[in-house]
């Protein structure tokens, strides 16, 4: 069944049209009840890391970048210790 208004782009769709003349949506790709524009909250394509950090951490950088390798080393040491105890 063809909707009068394309749920994908909002363009008017002629009654006998099988696909939206504006964006090309049709029953298999676009409209019908399971229009993918509906419930899915797709991540923003222009994801801005600075904005994300600002929103999540109130403007502060969560972890200084210099610390990153340090935790890798600590993790490896702990892992090695656990493995050494387990082998013995
Ligand atoms: Zn359309």
């Amino acid at each position: 069944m063809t909707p009068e208004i394309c749920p994908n782009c909002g363009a008017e769709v002629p009654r006998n049209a099988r696909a939206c003349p504006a964006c090309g949506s049709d029953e298999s790709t676009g409209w019908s009840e399971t229009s993918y524009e509906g419930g899915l909250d797709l991540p923003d394509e222009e994801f801005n890391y600075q904005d994300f950090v600002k929103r999540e951490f109130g403007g502060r950088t969560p972890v200084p970048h210099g610390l990153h390798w340090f935790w890798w080393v600590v993790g490896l040491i702990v892992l090695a210790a656990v493995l050494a105890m387990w082998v013995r």
Side-chain angles (χ1 to χ4, degrees):
M1 161 181 128
T2 305
E4 287 172 42
I5 302 290
C6 173
N8 192 42
C9 69
E12 245 177 77
V13 182
R15 246 171 175 275
N16 56 351
R18 302 236 47 150
C20 172
C23 71
S25 296
D26 61 20
E27 286 165 64
S28 52
T29 59
W31 55 58
S32 83
E33 290 83 311
T34 54
S35 165
Y36 43 70
E37 286 279 306
L40 278 177
D41 189 19
L42 294 173
D44 199 348
E45 293 215 2
E46 292 173 63
F47 181 76
N48 190 323
Y49 180 73
Q50 296 299 328
D51 278 358
F52 173 76
V53 169
K54 224 180 265 176
R55 254 179 293 137
E56 295 290 308
F57 304 101
R60 279 171 298 136
T61 316
V63 177
H65 279 277
L67 227 58
H68 186 69
W69 65 269
F70 173 76
W71 290 113
W72 269 105
V73 173
V74 170
L76 284 173
I77 290 171
V78 169
L79 189 69
V82 169
L83 274 175
M85 283 168 66
W86 182 66
V87 164
R88 219 180 289 161

